[in-house]
Amino acid sequence: MKRVVFLFLSVVILVLVASCTPNYKLKLSEQVEADNVTPIAMEESAKMEGKDTVMTFVVQNNRISVDSVAYINKFHRGAEADMLYMVRNESDVPIVPSIYFVGDAHIDDYSAVEGQGYDDVPNYVEEWISIKPEVAEIPPGMAQGYIVSLTMPNEEFTDLPNKFAFQIGVGVGHPLQLAVSPWWMVRMR
Amino acid sequence: MLLKAKIKEKGGEKTMGRIMSELKGVRLLLALLLALLPMMAMSGKALAATTADITVNATPAYVEISCNQSSYDFGVVATSSTTNTSTAYFGIDNNSTVQTDQTISVTTTTWSGGLGWDHSDAGTAGDNTTAIYAHNTDWSIIVKNAAPNYIAENQAATTDYDFGLSLQAPTVLYDGAEKSITVRISASQG
């Protein structure tokens, strides 16, 4: 009987431990103090790149690139999804990137997801976007990470599509600015 | 005695003391279950309140553009004049490995410098108001607030293109200060 009790307790404890262990990542935005962020060396940024919540933007002279598209699944009210935008300045001069929301891009024009049921994003979603820290100058040869967060208020939005998409771009340069605007593909729970 | 008898009927060799011990175990088990119930309930609640089940992924899609120019100076313009670059003045080197949609827009609604010009999304110059057009295959209005126009739609991977700009100067000018505005070329997977 003691063996049965022991086995039962073991199973219960295992189930509890499994269910209490966070299978989500610590919110990236909680790891960044907006007023205390300085550009980091390329080697440091390289350690953070290649992860599934990091998008890398490389800026060279008159050139910009991005390596991925963001997918957020099972999103719901009260939830927050963070993506790290790592901007690498490989140009000869300091840069001040623009990070901007594009709500008027038409997902129907994105042929790779045609027929998957994504809708254009409602205007109010722009208010759910936050970027930390504020953009500032990145010296040549340095990188800066920006936490781009999508935070849905804890209330119901009846006209919010079950699947929607928008872009959050990064641009550099004046008076001609080159930019890349990766899609954020959001699927509600 | 009845209990003992029933157990004996099943062929067991158990004594009353052992039965009492097992009953104690069952009671212990029940007490533990009751104690664990609130914890289990709380853990479920905590999960529901967090972002535990959201998945966030960045999946590969390489988009890269570069330009052979970083600016253009239209020089001194007269009221109501139209000044063009060549239609292939700006060369976009498109190294994207996927099909892209590329838009052109201005990033502000006014030009900087002196009494800044207003930018017309309608493409119509006016009093201290200017309009800019871009040319790839046709001339199209460059806008700020409306959905940007495509300078290259469904651009095939690793396929370059050229474009030019056209400036319609205001019909009324108020100062001679140099004006400036940022024109953004933005590429996204399309």
Side-chain angles (χ1 to χ4, degrees):
Chain A
M1 188 62 196
K2 278 180 186 167
R3 217 175 294 162
V4 174
V5 173
F6 175 76
L7 277 173
F8 175 79
L9 278 177
S10 302
V11 169
V12 169
I13 288 167
L14 275 174
V15 168
L16 274 175
V17 167
S19 62
C20 290
T21 302
N23 60 354
Y24 57 93
K25 297 168 186 69
L26 180 63
K27 286 179 186 173
L28 286 167
S29 55
E30 289 173 355
Q31 301 173 359
V32 176
E33 287 296 329
D35 299 329
N36 189 25
V37 177
T38 53
I40 56 176
M42 294 294 185
E43 302 78 48
E44 289 301 308
S45 80
K47 290 176 191 170
M48 303 166 76
E49 292 163 16
K51 295 177 181 171
D52 58 3
T53 53
V54 180
M55 302 173 85
T56 305
F57 298 78
V58 178
V59 177
Q60 296 168 314
N61 298 325
N62 287 345
R63 181 182 299 270
I64 189 167
S65 68
V66 65
D67 61 354
S68 47
V69 170
Y71 280 89
I72 296 159
N73 291 318
K74 300 179 186 174
F75 199 57
H76 54 87
R77 67 190 213 174
E80 176 177 318
D82 296 340
M83 185 65 70
L84 180 66
Y85 271 33
M86 183 61 72
V87 181
R88 300 168 63 98
N89 181 8
E90 296 183 3
S91 68
D92 302 333
V93 294
I95 59 167
V96 180
S98 298
I99 303 179
Y100 56 90
F101 174 82
V102 184
D104 47 19
H106 299 301
I107 189 61
D108 284 350
D109 294 344
Y110 182 5
S111 44
V113 297
E114 198 173 342
Q116 292 183 20
Y118 284 95
D119 287 321
D120 290 344
V121 68
N123 291 336
Y124 53 75
V125 171
E126 181 171 9
E127 294 170 16
W128 301 358
I129 305 291
S130 64
I131 298 162
K132 286 172 45 174
E134 288 183 14
V135 291
E137 186 174 281
I138 306 174
M142 302 291 277
Q144 173 70 65
Y146 297 94
I147 307 298
V148 182
S149 303
L150 174 70
T151 309
M152 183 174 177
N154 195 11
E155 56 187 274
E156 194 173 350
F157 292 83
T158 53
D159 62 336
L160 185 69
N162 190 47
K163 295 161 87 177
F164 58 91
F166 55 86
Q167 299 172 356
I168 296 180
V170 173
V172 173
H174 169 81
L176 183 72
Q177 181 176 107
L178 295 177
V180 284
S181 303
W183 285 101
W184 283 50
M185 315 295 296
V186 182
R187 184 190 298 234
M188 301 297 292
R189 185 166 66 186
Chain B
M1 291 302 290
L2 185 62
L3 185 63
K4 189 174 180 181
K6 276 188 177 175
I7 290 170
K8 273 193 169 174
E9 278 172 18
K10 288 182 180 177
E13 296 293 324
K14 298 174 183 174
T15 64
M16 189 63 176
R18 192 161 174 194
I19 289 167
M20 291 308 289
S21 166
E22 286 187 4
L23 282 174
K24 270 186 190 170
V26 170
R27 276 204 298 270
L28 177 65
L29 195 61
L30 283 170
L32 278 167
L33 262 177
L34 284 170
L36 286 171
L37 270 175
M39 287 172 66
M40 293 171 86
M42 276 173 65
S43 71
K45 204 170 187 178
L47 280 174
T50 66
T51 57
D53 54 354
I54 293 177
T55 61
V56 181
N57 300 101
T59 63
Y62 188 73
V63 174
E64 179 191 301
I65 55 172
S66 63
C67 187
N68 60 354
Q69 307 289 343
S70 58
S71 65
Y72 182 78
D73 187 349
F74 284 100
V76 177
V77 295
T79 54
S80 303
S81 64
T82 298
T83 312
N84 301 333
T85 69
S86 67
T87 53
Y89 181 79
F90 298 93
I92 295 291
D93 185 12
N94 174 36
N95 287 322
S96 307
T97 57
V98 291
Q99 176 175 287
T100 53
D101 288 331
Q102 303 195 17
T103 58
I104 188 164
S105 60
V106 288
T107 60
T108 53
T109 53
T110 57
W111 294 58
S112 63
L115 180 62
W117 295 340
D118 293 327
H119 173 82
S120 168
D121 269 6
T124 309
D127 186 342
N128 205 46
T129 300
T130 186
I132 326 178
Y133 286 74
H135 183 283
N136 180 358
T137 54
D138 296 300
W139 287 103
S140 59
I141 305 166
I142 297 180
V143 297
K144 163 65 175 84
N145 289 317
N149 287 315
Y150 289 118
I151 188 73
E153 187 176 10
N154 296 331
Q155 188 71 11
T158 65
T159 304
D160 303 338
Y161 66 93
D162 302 318
F163 72 95
L165 293 178
S166 175
L167 172 69
Q168 291 186 2
T171 56
V172 181
L173 294 168
Y174 291 92
D175 64 25
E178 187 177 83
K179 315 292 185 197
S180 178
I181 198 167
T182 300
V183 174
R184 172 186 286 156
I185 306 292
S186 180
S188 58
Q189 191 172 6

